[in-house]
């Protein structure tokens, strides 16, 4: 005699879950732009202070900015890139330099 309960679990309620396909957030390049007034040493200082670059790497990026008109400081999520730009802009203004920093989608 049966007990009225099925000993097998009901397979019809189990659903196969697809792995979530969330793509990573877009990344943004932070780019320094050349100008004719900001001293090269100040650009190196900015790269060391805000982008954790060593002296040699900071100098290489500064020379790229100087010779090519722009140089990538790093690639970050939008919020971090935006914060870095704000920090660089504020620091440049405080030191009376027109250094400009922008972000572009990577």
């Amino acid at each position: 005699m049966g007990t009225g309960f099925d000993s097998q679990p009901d397979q019809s309620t189990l659903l196969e879950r697809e792995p979530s396909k969330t793509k990573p957030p877009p990344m943004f390049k932070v780019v320094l732009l050349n100008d004719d007034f900001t001293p090269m040493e100040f650009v190196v200082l900015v790269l060391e202070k805000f982008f954790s670059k060593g002296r040699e790497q900071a100098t290489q990026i500064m020379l790229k900015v100087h010779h090519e008109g722009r140089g990538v400081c790093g690639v970050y999520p939008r919020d971090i890139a935006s914060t870095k730009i704000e920090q660089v802009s504020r620091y440049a203004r405080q030191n009376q330099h027109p250094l400009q920093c922008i972000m572009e989608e990577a």
Side-chain angles (χ1 to χ4, degrees), residues 12-30:
S12 65
T13 58
L14 294 178
L15 298 175
E16 286 289 321
R17 262 203 187 163
E18 292 215 12
S20 70
K21 294 178 182 171
T22 58
K23 58 183 184 179
M27 300 294 279
F28 291 84
K29 294 185 273 190
V30 176

Side-chain angles (χ1 to χ4, degrees), residues 7-8 33 36 46 52 64-65 73 81 87 89 93-94 96 100:
S7 61
Q8 292 288 341
L33 303 179
D36 293 333
V46 163
S52 302
K64 189 170 178 70
V65 171
C73 308
Q87 291 170 330
S89 298
R93 282 192 311 269
Q94 287 170 349
Q96 296 159 357
Q100 289 190 15

Side-chain angles (χ1 to χ4, degrees), residues 60-81:
Q60 289 173 352
I61 295 170
M62 175 275 296
L63 288 171
K64 189 170 178 70
V65 171
H66 180 69
H67 293 295
E68 297 178 23
R70 55 188 310 172
V72 176
C73 308
V75 179
Y76 307 94
R78 180 190 303 270
D79 291 348
I80 294 173

Side-chain angles (χ1 to χ4, degrees), residues 42 49-50 87-97:
F42 183 78
K49 181 177 178 79
F50 298 105
Q87 291 170 330
V88 169
S89 298
R90 185 180 317 119
Y91 188 67
R93 282 192 311 269
Q94 287 170 349
N95 288 277
Q96 296 159 357
H97 295 301

